[in-house]
């Protein structure tokens, strides 16, 4: 018996379904700019263009999962526009081995984008431009797709994410949700409901503190798991590492702790959380166990902050961005 089936007994066994992991979330591009100082309110920072990179939390998660466990069958349910950026995004996903059958190409629409200002210490400031081709419509995920899916992962801010989780569980799939701090700030009650609804939830420290009213990470983790059985919450803490808590059928809660992996130089923190989350889920689905999943996820997140962009390499069909060393040189 795998550790995942112990944590969440309802999860279909590996090989039982055609899709190991169905990710429902956004796909887009990141316009990377190197700046001396991150822009503030009513301020302007002019820097050097670092190129155009594939992005989007959903796409980043899917690619991270595929990289972590290449034998898993990972599929993305998403949207892009029919502009050159959208075509480049699909090429990037396909080159990473992600199935794109369920990526909708919307006619006469722009692909969702983020302008990412990256400072010398690797910290970032984002400006996002939502378009109709940003978040997918969860109601369009068909019953046949869910019946063929072993595990569903959805972003909390996808419209209809709660209904999708319920439909996936009814179809026998395991479920996880990624709850960002910005989503908690907009709708804390819905965030709590989603965390309680999914088999596994991924939250960061800030979101957990807001939801539980405590600054103690372990206490926040226990509060999020209170009165549930066979649920898992992964708490990401940036440089502080991560915690994974699991509630058993007898009301007990087991907590695992994983330190972060130190890197010689932080180049860009964009996508580190997605890399961590995708690796954790993929490793569990590959029956690697919690300890391996957390260790591998920490290592993947460390690699993510050691290069530019959410993923290594620029958007296919567009000029390549400067590499990590070249970017480092201008700040030395």
């Amino acid at each position: 018996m795998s550790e995942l089936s112990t944590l969440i007994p309802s999860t279909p066994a590996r090989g039982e379904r055609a899709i190991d992991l169905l990710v429902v979330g956004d796909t887009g591009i990141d316009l990377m700019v190197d700046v001396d100082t991150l822009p503030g309110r009513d301020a302007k920072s002019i820097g050097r263009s670092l190129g155009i990179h594939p992005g989007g939390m959903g796409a980043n998660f899917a690619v991270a999962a595929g990289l972590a466990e290449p034998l898993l069958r990972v599929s993305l349910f998403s949207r892009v526009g029919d502009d050159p950026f959208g075509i480049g995004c699909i090429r990037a996903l396909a080159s990473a081995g992600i199935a794109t059958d369920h990526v909708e190409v919307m006619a006469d629409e722009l692909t969702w984008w983020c302008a990412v200002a990256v400072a010398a210490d690797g910290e970032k400031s984002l400006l996002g431009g939502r378009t109709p081709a940003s978040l997918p419509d969860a109601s369009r995920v068909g019953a046949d797709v869910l019946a063929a899916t072993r595990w569903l992962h959805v972003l909390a801010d996808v419209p209809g994410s709660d209904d999708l989780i319920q439909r996936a569980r009814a179809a026998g799939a395991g479920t996880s949700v990624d709850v960002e701090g910005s989503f908690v700030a907009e709708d804390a009650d819905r965030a709590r409901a989603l965390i309680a609804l999914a088999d596994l939830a991924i939250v960061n420290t800030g979101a957990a503190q807001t939801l539980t009213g405590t600054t103690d990470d372990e206490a926040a983790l226990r509060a999020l798991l209170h009165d549930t059985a066979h649920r898992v919450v992964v708490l990401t803490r940036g440089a502080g590492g991560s915690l994974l808590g699991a509630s058993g059928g007898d009301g007990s809660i087991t907590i695992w702790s994983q330190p972060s992996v130190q890197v010689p130089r932080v180049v860009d923190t964009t996508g580190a959380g997605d890399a961590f989350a995708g690796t954790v889920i993929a490793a569990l689905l590959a029956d690697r166990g919690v300890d391996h999943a957390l260790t591998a996820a920490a290592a993947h997140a460390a690699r993510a902050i050691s290069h530019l962009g959410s993923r290594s390499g620029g958007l296919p069909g567009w000029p390549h961005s400067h590499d990590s060393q070249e970017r480092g040189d201008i700040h030395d």
Side-chain angles (χ1 to χ4, degrees), residues 221-223 225-228 244-248 250-255:
L221 192 61
R222 291 183 180 277
L225 288 165
H226 182 63
D227 290 336
T228 63
L244 184 148
S247 58
D250 59 356
S252 63
I253 293 177
T254 305
I255 294 179

Side-chain angles (χ1 to χ4, degrees), residues 179-207:
V179 181
E180 279 203 302
S182 57
F183 180 81
V184 171
E186 293 175 3
D187 197 341
D189 289 339
R190 185 157 181 255
R192 290 188 187 93
L194 286 167
I195 291 170
L197 186 61
D199 295 304
L200 186 152
I202 299 172
V203 298
N204 62 26
T205 296

Side-chain angles (χ1 to χ4, degrees), residues 104-171:
E104 178 187 4
V105 180
M106 301 188 71
D108 302 319
E109 295 292 354
L110 291 173
T111 297
W112 141 248
W113 57 268
C114 271
V116 185
V118 186
D121 60 358
E123 288 304 316
K124 62 185 182 298
S125 179
L126 279 73
L127 172 66
R130 288 286 189 204
T131 75
S134 298
L135 295 172
D137 181 357
S139 67
R140 293 171 63 100
V141 181
D144 57 333
V145 175
L146 294 177
T149 296
R150 184 179 172 214
W151 190 277
L152 165 82
H153 179 78
V154 62
L155 305 185
D157 57 352
V158 168
S161 55
D162 45 0
D163 177 68
L164 178 59
I165 291 172
Q166 290 177 318
R167 291 196 294 122
R169 295 193 69 188

Side-chain angles (χ1 to χ4, degrees), residues 13-194:
R14 189 171 184 181
E16 283 187 6
R17 300 193 173 189
I19 302 172
D20 287 302
L21 175 60
L22 176 67
V23 182
V24 179
D26 59 333
T27 305
I29 61 160
D30 293 334
L31 309 171
M32 310 292 297
V33 181
D34 185 275
V35 296
D36 292 327
T37 305
L38 295 179
R41 181 180 176 84
D42 197 29
K44 178 168 60 175
S45 292
I46 302 296
R48 185 182 66 162
S49 172
L50 295 172
I52 300 170
H53 291 251
M57 286 183 61
N60 292 341
F61 180 101
V63 170
L67 286 173
E69 296 292 343
L71 296 182
L72 289 182
R73 295 158 294 186
V74 182
S75 182
L76 180 66
F77 191 99
S78 190
R79 279 177 170 169
V80 295
D82 63 353
D83 57 347
F85 289 150
I87 303 306
C89 286
I90 291 177
R91 288 177 180 169
L93 290 164
S95 67
I98 306 304
T100 59
D101 314 57
H102 303 299
V103 177
E104 178 187 4
V105 180
M106 301 188 71
D108 302 319
E109 295 292 354
L110 291 173
T111 297
W112 141 248
W113 57 268
C114 271
V116 185
V118 186
D121 60 358
E123 288 304 316
K124 62 185 182 298
S125 179
L126 279 73
L127 172 66
R130 288 286 189 204
T131 75
S134 298
L135 295 172
D137 181 357
S139 67
R140 293 171 63 100
V141 181
D144 57 333
V145 175
L146 294 177
T149 296
R150 184 179 172 214
W151 190 277
L152 165 82
H153 179 78
V154 62
L155 305 185
D157 57 352
V158 168
S161 55
D162 45 0
D163 177 68
L164 178 59
I165 291 172
Q166 290 177 318
R167 291 196 294 122
R169 295 193 69 188
T175 59
S176 56
V177 63
D178 197 322
V179 181
E180 279 203 302
S182 57
F183 180 81
V184 171
E186 293 175 3
D187 197 341
D189 289 339
R190 185 157 181 255
R192 290 188 187 93
L194 286 167

Side-chain angles (χ1 to χ4, degrees), residues 280-293:
V280 163
I281 299 295
L284 291 175
L285 288 172
D287 299 330
R288 302 294 188 189
V290 172
D291 288 328
H292 174 97

